[in-house]
């Protein structure tokens, strides 16, 4: 690939549109019949797959089709999801259903969006599965039947769930009944600015270079980066932390099967300084645990963090989301690391608090010079010794 910078740019951009209408455009470009068809018809392949019918992208014009941004905010290029429907990855949803509801690996579990129950044949098949005792999970999401909310009270807020998984079970008479529910939250990222210019570039490229779209975009990657700014990491953590803790607690209730918080690896990496960079415990079953010091990990914690990464491919498209870490934890443990350990690190000698004191004195020193911290002495350059040429001895006349 080449063409990462525009004629006006002097250095490689840090932020690129990575997926467009579900298909990879950076750092490689998918160019298959299916990817071009989705892009030309502005179709969301994830909602289309979930609903069994062609479904257009629901985003606004300036961000139409943008699923993920590749950014170097953590030091290297990583995908940051900017659309929650991108996480409608069938293997990951299936994994979540098995884990939350305790189904053994390999069990035939049907996981389907609520809206497909409007199809009479699907609804009848669901009834037959439940009557036969076969595990069946129905989920609701924003555009898939709507988000399910917990109502506010005088002492608690109203909250909605990104996705709610509901277990359908037979009652004593064999009729349909509702079992436990599971919470599946998806962490997307807010970005500064707008993708409008880059989106317009992609639309123009598709129009002008339809048969050679992949090659054209690969040669002019700056099209994907024009005016695209970086992620608003600190703001998103502050906005989501309370909701995550609240929902982890709800997931621990007897009527709930638990809560899963699904995040890209880029988000997990950005969380490290907010959590005091905790050490994970290998549970030796392919999963990990985040526990307090001197606490033993448990087999079935009420809360899980799914950390996923994108398996880059220009031929298998849309790219799969691979689970990088499956981390069991609970709200109290996250609170310990975010509200105890991270502040301790900031207050430690030589930590951030020392820099804060220095910053305050420097600012005040502009107005009250006596508070200005002393400047460290500058090292004087050693003077080079210049060898003097000895003067010749005067001649003596005898």
């Amino acid at each position: 690939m080449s063409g990462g910078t525009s004629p006006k740019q002097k250095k490689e951009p840090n932020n690129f549109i990575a997926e467009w209408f579900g298909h990879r455009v950076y750092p490689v470009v998918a160019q298959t019949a299916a990817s071009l068809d989705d892009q030309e018809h502005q179709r969301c392949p994830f909602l289309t797959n979930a609903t069994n019918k062609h479904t257009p992208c629901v985003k606004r014009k300036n961000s139409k089709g943008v699923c993920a941004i590749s950014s170097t905010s953590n030091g290297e290029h990583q995908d940051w999801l900017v659309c929650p429907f991108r996480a409608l990855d069938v293997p990951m949803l299936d994994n979540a259903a098995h884990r939350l509801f305790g189904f053994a690996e390999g069990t035939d579990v049907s996981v389907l969006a609520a809206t497909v129950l409007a199809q009479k044949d699907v609804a009848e098949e669901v009834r037959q599965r439940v009557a036969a005792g076969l595990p069946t999970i129905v989920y609701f999401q924003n555009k898939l039947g709507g988000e399910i909310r917990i109502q506010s009270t005088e002492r608690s807020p109203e909250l909605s769930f990104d996705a709610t998984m509901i277990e359908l079970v037979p009652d004593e008479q064999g009729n349909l009944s509702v079992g436990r529910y599971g919470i599946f939250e998806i962490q997307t990222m807010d970005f500064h600015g707008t993708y409008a210019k880059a989106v317009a570039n992609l639309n123009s490229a598709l129009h002008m270079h339809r048969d050679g779209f992949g090659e054209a975009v690969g040669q002019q990657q700056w099209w994907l980066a024009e005016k695209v700014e970086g992620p608003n990491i600190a703001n998103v953590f502050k906005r989501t932390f309370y909701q995550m803790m609240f929902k982890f607690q709800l997931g621990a209730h007897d009527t709930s099967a638990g809560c899963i918080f699904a995040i890209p690896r880029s988000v997990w990496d950005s969380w490290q300084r907010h959590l005091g960079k905790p050490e994970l415990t290998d549970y030796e079953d392919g999963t990990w645990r985040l526990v307090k010091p001197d606490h033993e990990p448990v087999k079935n914690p009420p809360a899980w963090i799914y950390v996923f990464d994108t398996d880059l491919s220009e031929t298998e498209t849309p790219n799969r989301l691979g689970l990088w870490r499956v981390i069991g934890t609970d709200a109290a443990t996250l609170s310990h690391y975010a509200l105890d350990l991270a502040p301790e690190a900031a207050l430690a000698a030589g930590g951030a608090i020392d820099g804060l004191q220095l910053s305050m004195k420097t600012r005040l020193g502009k107005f009250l010079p006596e508070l200005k911290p002393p400047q460290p002495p500058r090292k004087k350059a050693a003077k080079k010794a210049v060898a003097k040429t000895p003067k010749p001895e005067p001649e003596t006349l005898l």
Side-chain angles (χ1 to χ4, degrees):
M1 293 288 179
S2 62
T5 59
S6 76
K8 297 180 181 179
Q9 292 172 320
K10 295 182 179 180
K11 64 177 183 178
E12 183 79 12
N14 295 322
N15 310 296
F16 295 79
I17 292 178
E19 290 184 338
W20 192 49
F21 293 106
H23 302 281
R24 179 64 47 180
V25 290
Y26 181 86
V28 296
V29 187
Q31 185 168 336
T32 66
S35 66
L36 287 172
D37 193 55
D38 283 338
Q39 289 159 349
E40 285 189 315
H41 291 89
Q42 299 194 336
R43 184 166 50 234
C44 173
F46 311 109
L47 285 174
T48 295
N49 184 60
T51 59
N52 294 328
K53 63 180 181 180
H54 294 303
T55 306
C57 173
V58 298
K59 303 186 80 171
R60 296 179 180 179
K61 180 181 178 181
N62 285 351
S63 59
K64 181 75 74 175
V66 181
C67 306
I69 300 291
S70 178
S71 175
T72 58
S73 290
N74 290 329
E76 61 182 2
H77 270 289
Q78 294 175 300
D79 277 7
W80 302 71
L81 259 63
V82 293
C83 178
F85 303 116
R86 176 60 181 94
L88 292 176
D89 182 83
V90 173
M92 187 160 67
L93 290 175
D94 186 67
N95 185 293
H98 276 76
R99 191 173 308 282
L100 286 174
F101 296 95
F103 300 126
E105 186 177 352
T107 302
D108 173 21
V109 180
S110 176
V111 182
L112 64 162
T115 51
V116 300
L117 295 175
Q119 303 170 29
K120 292 183 178 180
D121 57 333
V122 175
E124 185 56 33
E125 182 182 348
V126 165
R127 292 187 181 96
Q128 292 176 8
R129 281 186 60 90
V130 174
L134 296 175
T136 305
I137 306 296
V138 174
Y139 66 89
F140 286 83
Q141 200 180 8
N142 184 12
K143 300 297 181 181
L144 299 170
E147 294 178 337
I148 290 182
R149 300 174 181 272
I150 181 170
Q151 298 299 319
S152 64
T153 71
E154 292 182 355
R155 300 173 57 197
S156 63
E158 177 184 82
L159 283 178
S160 59
F161 305 142
D162 285 348
T164 308
M165 292 183 164
I166 302 171
E167 182 183 26
L168 297 181
V169 295
D171 63 14
E172 294 179 355
Q173 287 74 40
N175 298 317
L176 273 178
S177 182
V178 172
R180 295 173 299 162
Y181 68 90
I183 304 168
F184 188 76
E185 292 290 305
I186 302 144
Q187 175 64 72
T188 56
M189 180 55 65
D190 296 337
F191 273 70
H192 300 286
T194 174
Y195 325 128
K197 291 290 291 183
V199 168
N201 290 341
L202 280 167
N203 281 312
S204 297
L206 186 61
H207 176 71
M208 298 293 292
H209 307 280
R210 199 272 179 195
D211 294 332
F213 176 73
E215 183 179 355
V217 172
Q219 291 297 322
Q220 302 292 339
Q221 289 182 325
W222 67 268
W223 291 345
L224 309 169
E226 189 172 8
K227 303 295 184 182
V228 179
E229 300 181 35
N232 193 350
I233 297 172
N235 183 59
V236 169
F237 184 82
K238 289 183 288 187
R239 177 171 55 81
T240 59
F241 180 71
Y242 173 77
Q243 290 197 43
M244 178 173 60
M245 299 286 284
F246 199 103
K247 291 169 184 177
F248 277 177
Q249 287 291 77
L250 294 176
H253 192 267
D254 291 342
T255 58
S256 174
C259 177
I260 290 176
F261 210 82
I263 59 175
R265 185 174 176 179
S266 55
V267 173
W268 174 253
D269 290 347
S270 73
W271 278 9
Q272 295 309 294
R273 59 175 54 91
H274 296 284
L275 297 175
K277 202 173 183 181
E279 293 288 335
L280 298 178
T281 301
D282 188 347
Y283 199 67
E284 299 181 353
D285 64 350
T287 66
W288 300 74
R289 297 293 182 272
L290 178 61
V291 296
K292 292 181 183 179
D294 302 324
H295 282 61
E296 290 296 321
V298 297
K299 182 178 181 180
N300 295 309
W304 296 89
I305 300 173
Y306 273 25
V307 185
F308 59 85
D309 218 343
T310 310
D311 296 336
L312 297 186
S313 173
E314 54 190 304
T315 54
E316 183 182 351
T317 183
N319 292 170
R320 289 185 62 256
L321 299 182
L323 285 175
W324 177 71
R325 290 284 187 275
V326 174
I327 305 166
T329 189
D330 55 49
T333 298
L334 274 178
S335 175
H336 165 73
Y337 283 105
L339 304 181
D340 294 332
L341 193 65
E344 283 178 11
L347 294 170
I353 199 67
D354 290 347
L356 178 63
Q357 291 282 344
L358 181 62
S359 177
M360 290 188 292
K361 289 179 180 179
T362 301
R363 295 288 185 92
L364 284 168
K366 295 179 180 179
F367 310 101
L368 302 170
E370 63 269 30
L371 293 178
K372 189 175 182 179
Q375 296 293 323
R378 293 183 179 180
K379 294 182 179 180
K380 295 182 179 180
K383 292 183 178 180
K384 293 183 179 180
V386 180
K388 294 183 179 180
T389 304
K391 293 181 179 180
E393 292 290 331
E395 293 183 3
T396 304
L397 296 176
L398 297 176

